[in-house]
Amino acid sequence: MVFEGLKVYRGDDNKLRLFRPMLNMNRMASSAKKACLPAFDQPEFLECIRRLVEIDQDWVPHSYNASLYIRPTFISTEQSLGVKKPCRALLYVIMCLAGTYFNTNAASLWADPKYIRAWKGGTGDCKMGGNYGCSLFALDEAVDNGCQQVLWLYGDDHQITEAGTMNVFLFWINEDGEEELATPPLDGIILPGVTRQSILDLTRNWGEFKVSERYLTMSQLCSALKQQRVKEMFGSGTACMICPIRHIAYNGQVRNLSNIILGFKKTSVEVEVSTQGFYSSKSVKVLISKLLKV
Ligand SMILES: Cc1ncc(COP(=O)(O)O)c(C=O)c1O
C-alpha cells in the first residue's frame, strides 16, 4: 500500500488551490514502483483529483487554519495470500477536513537511537504503509514520556533524519561560523517532502544564508546548543507546514529549544510559487508558511 497527502486551500479570493501537486504525483509514482504496483498516468490522475475537488468544493473550509486533506491511495487487490507482485490494484482518493496538526505551536521530540524509521536499501524515501505502521510503537513510547513525536536517528553517530512525519531543518551557526539552514540529504532514508523542497527552493532563492543538504548528528546539535549556535530547529510537512521544535529528550536529558523559538518568526504569507498542472499551468499564489527573520 502506498499513499500521498496533499491539501486544497481556499484563498482570500475564494479560489481553491493545490500546493505543487505534481510533486505528490511523482512521489506516488516512485513509491508505487518500489511496491511493485503498476505505473499510472500522473497528469491524468491529477486531473481526476482536480475534478473530485471541483465536485466537493463546498467542503473546502473558509478558514485560514483549515483545509481539505486529500489522500490518494494505491493498494493491491490481488486475490491471494501469497507474497508476490500484484496483478490487480486499486487507485483511489479519499478526502477529509484538516485543522491544525499539533495542539501546541511547537513540538517536543523523543530521540532514542534504539528505534529506526528507515534504513539504506529500504523504503524510507517512499510513502508506503509499512513505514508508518512500524513507527507507532516508538511514538507510543514518546507519548508515554511526555513528547509529541519521535526524532528519528540513524547510525552509530546518531544522525538526525526526520521528526515524526516531518522533514527536519536546523538553522544555526555551523562549525565553520557560517549562518546555515541545513536539512539531511535525500540518501534513501529521507522522504522527499514537498514542503522540504519548497523551503529549499525559497531560501536558496533568498540568498540570505547558506542552504545545505547535509548530515547532522546529535552530537553536533548538542554542542551547537551548548555554544548557543542554534537559531531555530523545525519540522516541515503538509500537515503542519512549519513546526518549531520546543524540546528534545535525548540520552536521559531534555534539550530545551523553547528560548530560541523566537529566533525565527513564523508567519503565513502569500508567496508566488509556480505550480504545474492544476488550474492551468499559470503561476498561482499559494499560501505557505514563510520563515521571516525577526
Ligand atoms: C515520513 C515523512 N517525512 C516527511 C513528510 C513531509 O512531506 P510533505 O512535505 O510532502 O508533506 C511526510 C509527510 O508526508 C512524511 O510522512
Side-chain angles (χ1 to χ4, degrees):
M1 185 270 253
V2 304
F3 61 102
E4 265 305 322
L6 63 163
K7 285 177 173 172
V8 56
Y9 301 93
R10 191 182 292 277
D12 288 342
D13 56 5
N14 210 27
K15 277 194 186 158
L16 304 185
R17 295 181 179 98
L18 286 167
F19 182 63
R20 308 184 85 180
M22 261 326 271
L23 294 181
N24 296 90
M25 297 299 104
N26 296 342
R27 191 170 64 189
M28 189 159 192
S30 60
S31 300
K33 192 171 177 196
K34 275 243 180 107
C36 285
L37 287 162
F40 60 92
D41 185 323
Q42 298 158 42
E44 186 67 24
F45 188 39
L46 180 55
E47 177 56 20
C48 293
I49 292 173
R50 194 195 67 77
R51 277 291 295 136
L52 178 63
V53 169
E54 206 167 64
I55 291 163
D56 275 345
Q57 56 182 282
D58 290 347
W59 284 96
V60 184
H62 292 259
S63 160
Y64 193 61
N65 294 323
S67 54
L68 190 66
Y69 193 80
I70 302 171
R71 168 72 84 226
T73 312
F74 205 3
I75 55 168
S76 156
T77 51
E78 186 73 29
Q79 292 176 339
S80 120
L81 292 178
V83 178
K84 61 174 185 166
K85 184 173 169 169
C87 298
R88 297 166 53 144
L90 180 67
L91 183 58
Y92 61 93
V93 179
I94 54 176
M95 303 198 290
C96 69
L97 293 175
T100 43
Y101 197 63
F102 295 118
N103 290 332
T104 56
N105 285 331
S108 51
L109 304 180
W110 174 251
D112 187 333
K114 76 172 181 272
Y115 296 117
I116 299 173
R117 189 195 82 90
W119 50 91
K120 301 271 168 71
T123 56
D125 55 351
C126 303
K127 261 186 107 70
M128 201 177 283
N131 295 348
Y132 298 85
C134 69
S135 72
L136 296 179
F137 191 74
L139 177 60
D140 203 38
E141 186 172 305
V143 171
D144 279 351
N145 285 279
C147 294
Q148 286 159 309
Q149 285 295 337
V150 177
L151 180 61
W152 298 104
L153 306 179
Y154 183 77
D156 293 339
D157 54 352
H158 300 179
Q159 285 164 32
I160 295 166
T161 64
E162 301 215 39
T165 55
M166 297 182 286
N167 293 114
V168 70
F169 281 82
L170 179 64
F171 183 57
W172 67 335
I173 303 297
N174 69 17
E175 308 91 331
D176 299 325
E178 300 161 306
E179 193 175 35
E180 179 182 48
L181 180 68
T183 191
L186 301 179
D187 61 355
I189 63 167
I190 305 289
L191 190 86
V194 174
T195 322
R196 172 189 182 279
Q197 191 56 53
S198 306
I199 292 167
L200 290 173
D201 293 346
L202 274 173
T203 51
R204 281 184 175 138
N205 194 264
W206 296 349
E208 287 180 24
F209 39 77
K210 186 173 179 180
V211 179
S212 312
E213 293 170 75
R214 54 162 283 182
Y215 291 106
L216 297 163
T217 63
M218 277 310 288
S219 79
Q220 286 170 326
L221 174 64
C222 292
S223 1
L225 279 169
K226 213 166 161 187
Q227 294 162 11
Q228 302 191 332
R229 286 188 284 113
V230 177
K231 297 191 155 203
E232 171 85 88
M233 194 171 171
F234 58 90
S236 74
T238 300
C240 64
M241 293 200 274
I242 303 286
C243 178
I245 292 166
R246 181 159 42 102
H247 73 241
I248 302 173
Y250 170 68
N251 251 352
Q253 270 185 41
V254 175
R255 324 275 155 162
N256 191 6
L257 288 86
S258 53
N259 55 333
I260 51 172
I261 282 175
L262 291 179
F264 265 78
K265 186 173 155 197
K266 188 185 153 209
T267 177
S268 283
V269 293
E270 284 192 285
V271 180
E272 194 91 21
V273 176
S274 151
T275 63
Q276 295 166 11
F278 194 66
Y279 291 119
S280 85
S281 59
K282 275 186 228 148
S283 176
V284 296
K285 285 199 162 187
V286 292
L287 272 175
I288 70 157
S289 272
K290 179 180 176 185
L291 295 166
L292 283 186
K293 254 183 160 185
V294 181

